[in-house]
Amino acid sequence: MLDAFNRHPSSVGESYGQHLAQASGFGVTMISAGAACLVHAVFPFWFEKTASLCVQRLHARMAARGRPDAAAHKALQA
């Protein structure tokens, strides 16, 4: 049973807790970006680039996960 909870996190080099934190962070960011899109739909002059910037940042974070050069990628983001 525990294997089902640990198989995927370990495949990306994380513990269950680390994966929980990472996935939760991605989810909250996507929900926030979605809310910004909905507000932008009504008020097109608000949040003009919010969602697209969130997607770009999330893609960069996700692409760097589990890679040996992830630390170098993080350093470039700072």
Side-chain angles (χ1 to χ4, degrees), residues 13-45:
E14 297 172 346
S15 69
Y16 176 80
Q18 290 170 324
H19 190 270
L20 176 67
Q22 286 286 335
S24 297
F26 278 94
V28 168
T29 301
M30 288 190 282
I31 289 168
S32 300
C37 284
L38 292 172
V39 171
H40 174 73
V42 178
F43 302 102
F45 45 89

Side-chain angles (χ1 to χ4, degrees), residues 4-75:
F5 284 93
N6 293 314
R7 189 177 318 119
H8 172 66
S10 66
S11 75
V12 293
E14 297 172 346
S15 69
Y16 176 80
Q18 290 170 324
H19 190 270
L20 176 67
Q22 286 286 335
S24 297
F26 278 94
V28 168
T29 301
M30 288 190 282
I31 289 168
S32 300
C37 284
L38 292 172
V39 171
H40 174 73
V42 178
F43 302 102
F45 45 89
W46 287 350
F47 304 114
E48 292 180 23
K49 296 182 180 180
T50 302
S52 59
L53 292 174
C54 283
V55 169
Q56 290 172 359
R57 283 193 300 266
L58 285 175
H59 179 265
R61 280 178 53 201
M62 191 172 288
R65 289 176 65 224
R67 290 190 353 213
D69 62 340
H73 181 75
K74 269 188 184 176

